[in-house]
Every structure is written in C-alpha cells, then in structure tokens.
C-alpha cells in the first residue's frame, strides 16, 4: 500500500531555496523506493513573504501548514530585512509559526560523525563520540512572556522589558518530552536553568525534579546555564539529553552544534502535541553565499529524514536517507564548510547528485 503525505515546503530566504530543492529530490527518490507518495505545497515565509505580502507569516501560510502532515522549513532572514520594525521581521514570522502550531518542543541533536571529527574546532579526543540531544522549550520563556516592549519611565527614560515566565504546566510538558527522549537514548537527562538567581528557574527545577519520580530509570542532573556552557566545550561527552528553556536552549544548541564541526550538518524538529511538526536545519539563511551554489544541503536533507522518522513514522525511509548521507561523506564529498585536506570539494547541487547516486 502506498502511504501519502501532504508536505508544506517553506523555502524562505538566502540559501533556503537551494537546499530545500535538494531535499525534495531526495524525498521523491526515497518515496519511490519505499512506496511513499508526497504532495508538496510551497508557501511563503520570512523575507520572501515580506516582499510578496508585507508580512513575514501570511495567514494563508499558517493555514497551509495546519492542513499538512508535516512542514519542511529551510531558513529565513537576511540583511535586507534587519532594519524593519520587529513585527515585520522574518524572525517574527518564525516565532509566529512556532506559536501558531503550538510547537513547544524543539529537538536539536548534535552528533559528531566519525568522518567529520577533523572539522570540529575542538580537539578530536574531546569531541569524538559526542551524541547530545538538546530539548529546548520553544513557545514560552522570555521569548513570549508579558509584559514586553520598550516603554517610557516617569523620568522620560526608555526602558526595554521582556519577561521570563513559565507556568508549571509548561515546564511539565517539555520535561515529559525530554524524559521520554532520554528513555530512548542513554537515560541521562541534564536540566539546565539559572535557579541560583531566577525564580522562574527555581520553579523549573522543582517541577523537573518532581517529575523524575515517574521516570526512576532516568538519571536526572541539574546544571546552571553558565556552568553548562563551560561543560559543553570542556567535556561534552558527559551529556546525553539536555532539557532547558527557550533562551538558554537557543544559546546552548548553537554551542552544541559547533562541537560537531559545522552547524551546516544539523537538523532539528519542532513538535507540539498533535500534527503537524516542523523540521528545519539548525543553521540560518547564510545570505552571504545565497545563490552561489556553495551551501551545504546536508542539514536540510537530514531534516527531511527527521521528518520521516518523527513526523511521519517512516523509519525505513529515514534510515535510507541517513545512510546516503554517511555514504557521500565516506566517499569524501565535502562542501566548503566541512572541507578538509584530500577531500572532494563540491557545491550544493553536486552534493545533491552524489546523494541521489548513493540512494540508488
Ligand atoms: C533559532 C534561531 C531563532 C531563535 C531566531 C531566528 C528567531 O536563532 O531557531 O535558534 O532565536 O529561536
Ligand atoms: Mg538560535
């Protein structure tokens, strides 16, 4: 029997359209092999949407996403839109998508591939074997807390305000996701907060600790975020699964990504309680190399694999894509961001062709 899925594609800005084109070809090829049919619908988001409609996340895009089985997003943003007022910025569109689809759990795996140990800026002995899953809360915390804004004080000064807030229910639901992920991994969960200073973190820590009695087989630890940042670069292998709030997760997931050599390799998933989830590379839109066929499409391709595995429950197809990625790396193909001596330098499209060959 053929399984059919409706996939919304959000190519966005910068290198987005180039890398998502590669992922679509790979999905079509693997679909043929595994008897899966995809219907792709492209929608506008980010700078591309601002140009066409004046808003970074048109209502029509949100609706198209809601009607699909999964969303594959590339990247958004660019210098061109940086000066716009906040409500019109591409980033605001991304936050709107997360809030609109209630994607409260962001999964950001940082796993070093043996082929790329030399691409890491840290010593091989420190990063070899690193396999971390950062579970970042995505629809709460200081990104969304009220009040927020730039206000005038009584003395006429300007005062910028954001509010870091979590309810117990918000902490519980993300902690539950993290415990369950840890269960499928090495059963170690490290919760990161700033409970030595922040009340919101105290509540976070209390709730995560309370929940741990339901998961006796998971070893739970807590770290303050400053220490966690240090430990991530000092001895990253001590981590298995990390759970943390929105802002801390934003920062720590970039640091964890770089351990693996290139942020150009890492996929992510943003999920809520129901469907659809959004799958996207961790990296941004890289406007400096857009349109030059220099981008690394592998994070996007691995995001498509994550979509198959976590969003559509098509593990066999996901495995095939991941195997193809390992194979092209074994064959020595490298885009600029992961290039090293003796390897074969390729562009975005050539990398796509090598993947297709590896698949067939
Ligand atoms: C990320 C990005 C976003 C974030 C920006 C683009 C709004 O940095 O996905 O990590 O801060 O969440
Ligand atoms: Mg970020």
């Amino acid at each position: 029997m053929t399984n059919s899925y409706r996939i919304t594609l959000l190519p966005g800005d910068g290198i987005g359209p180039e890398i998502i084109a590669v992922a679509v070809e790979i999905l079509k090829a693997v679909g043929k092999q595994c008897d899966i049919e995809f219907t792709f619908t492209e929608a506008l988001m980010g700078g591309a949407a601002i140009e066409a409609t004046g808003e970074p996340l048109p209502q029509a895009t949100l609706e198209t996403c809601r009607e699909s089985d999964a969303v594959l997003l590339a990247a958004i943003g660019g210098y061109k839109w940086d000066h716009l007022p906040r409500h019109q910025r591409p980033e605001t569109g991304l936050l709107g998508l997360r809030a609109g689809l209630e994607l409260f759990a962001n999964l950001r795996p940082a796993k070093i591939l043996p082929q790329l140990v030399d691409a890491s800026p840290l010593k091989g002995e420190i990063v070899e074997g690193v396999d971390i899953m950062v579970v970042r809360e995505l629809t709460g915390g200081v990104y969304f807390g009220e009040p927020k804004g730039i206000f005038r004080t009584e003395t006429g000064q300007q005062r910028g305000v954001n509010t870091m807030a979590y309810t117990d229910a918000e902490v519980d639901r993300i902690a539950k996701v993290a415990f369950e992920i840890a269960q499928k991994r090495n059963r170690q969960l490290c919760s990161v907060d700033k409970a030595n200073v922040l009340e919101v973190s105290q509540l976070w820590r209390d709730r995560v600790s309370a929940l741990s009695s339901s998961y006796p087989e998971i070893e739970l630890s807590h770290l303050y975020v400053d220490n966690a940042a240090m430990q991530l670069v000092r001895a990253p292998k001590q981590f298995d699964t990390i759970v943390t709030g929105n802002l801390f997760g934003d920062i720590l997931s970039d640091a964890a990504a770089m351990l693996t050599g290139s942020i150009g390799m890492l996929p992510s998933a943003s999920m809520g309680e129901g469907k659809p989830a959004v799958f996207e590379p961790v990296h941004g839109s890289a406007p400096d190399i857009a349109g030059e066929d220099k981008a690394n499409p592998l994070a996007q391709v691995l995001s498509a694999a994550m979509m198959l595995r976590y969003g559509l429950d098509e593990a066999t197809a996901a495995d095939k894509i991941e195997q193809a990625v390992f194979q092209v790396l074994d064959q020595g193909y490298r885009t600029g961001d992961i290039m090293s001596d003796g390897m074969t330098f390729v562009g975005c499209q050539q990398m796509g062709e090598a993947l297709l060959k590896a698949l067939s």
Side-chain angles (χ1 to χ4, degrees), residues 133-261:
M133 176 69 90
V134 179
V135 181
R136 168 190 178 193
E137 199 290 329
L138 203 59
T139 51
V142 72
Y143 273 53
F144 291 92
E146 299 281 350
K148 63 155 97 184
I150 299 175
F151 305 102
R152 283 266 171 211
T153 67
E154 279 166 16
T155 58
Q157 279 182 309
Q158 291 195 89
R159 185 159 184 266
V161 178
N162 289 91
T163 303
M164 191 187 276
Y166 275 113
T167 63
D168 45 10
E170 283 175 317
V171 180
D172 290 358
R173 67 177 181 179
I174 188 71
K176 205 161 161 268
V177 169
F179 274 109
E180 271 156 28
I181 286 173
Q183 214 151 28
K184 294 187 197 143
R185 295 172 46 90
N186 269 337
R187 304 190 167 192
Q188 288 171 346
L189 180 61
C190 178
S191 173
V192 175
D193 62 40
K194 190 70 186 173
N196 50 346
V197 179
L198 304 175
E199 280 74 13
V200 53
S201 280
Q202 188 59 56
L203 179 72
W204 178 283
R205 190 174 282 224
D206 293 346
R207 299 302 300 190
V208 175
S209 299
L211 210 67
S212 80
S213 59
S214 310
Y215 299 91
E217 63 295 355
I218 308 271
E219 188 191 311
L220 174 68
S221 59
H222 302 273
L223 282 183
Y224 299 135
V225 61
D226 48 350
N227 189 16
M230 181 175 75
Q231 298 300 335
L232 259 181
V233 287
R234 191 188 72 85
K237 275 181 265 189
Q238 69 185 285
F239 293 104
D240 172 42
T241 307
I242 293 176
V243 63
T244 189
N246 207 341
L247 180 62
F248 300 157
D250 178 46
I251 298 165
L252 293 180
S253 63
D254 266 28
M258 203 57 213
L259 298 172
T260 69

Side-chain angles (χ1 to χ4, degrees), residues 293-321:
D293 194 32
K294 285 183 182 161
N296 180 353
L298 294 180
Q300 181 79 69
V301 169
L302 290 169
S303 299
M306 240 182 145
M307 175 177 87
L308 288 165
R309 189 181 305 285
Y310 294 104
L312 307 175
D313 219 3
E314 294 281 0
T316 312
D319 287 343
K320 278 186 192 278
I321 294 184

Side-chain angles (χ1 to χ4, degrees), residues 91 94-95 98 108 136 143 250:
E91 290 81 357
L94 187 57
L95 298 184
R98 290 171 181 171
R108 296 191 164 181
R136 168 190 178 193
Y143 273 53
D250 178 46

